[in-house]
Amino acid sequence: MQGTVNGRGAAAPEAAFDLWLQRGLHQMFDDVMREPIPEELLRLIEQDREQG
C-alpha cells in the first residue's frame, strides 16, 4: 500500500520522497517567498481587478 508505514515502523518510500521534495523546495524558495511583491506587479494586479 502506498504512503503507509512498513513493518519496521519506517515511512514508505513515497512518503520519504514527499518529505525530501518538500524540504528541498522550502530550502530553494523560502527566501524568494519572503521578498516583498514589487509595486509594479501590485499595480498591474489592481488594474486587472478593476477591469474584471
Side-chain angles (χ1 to χ4, degrees):
M1 184 185 295
Q2 288 184 335
T4 61
V5 174
N6 67 23
R8 297 183 309 256
E14 296 84 7
F17 176 77
D18 290 347
L19 182 59
W20 171 83
L21 181 61
Q22 183 179 16
R23 287 180 179 170
L25 291 172
H26 276 289
Q27 185 177 24
M28 290 189 320
F29 294 110
D30 277 354
D31 289 340
V32 174
M33 292 299 297
R34 288 187 199 104
E35 293 179 8
I37 299 172
E39 290 296 323
E40 176 71 12
L41 180 57
L42 290 173
R43 187 174 55 72
L44 291 171
I45 292 169
E46 190 58 37
Q47 284 177 352
D48 183 63
R49 283 184 184 163
E50 291 171 358
Q51 292 175 3

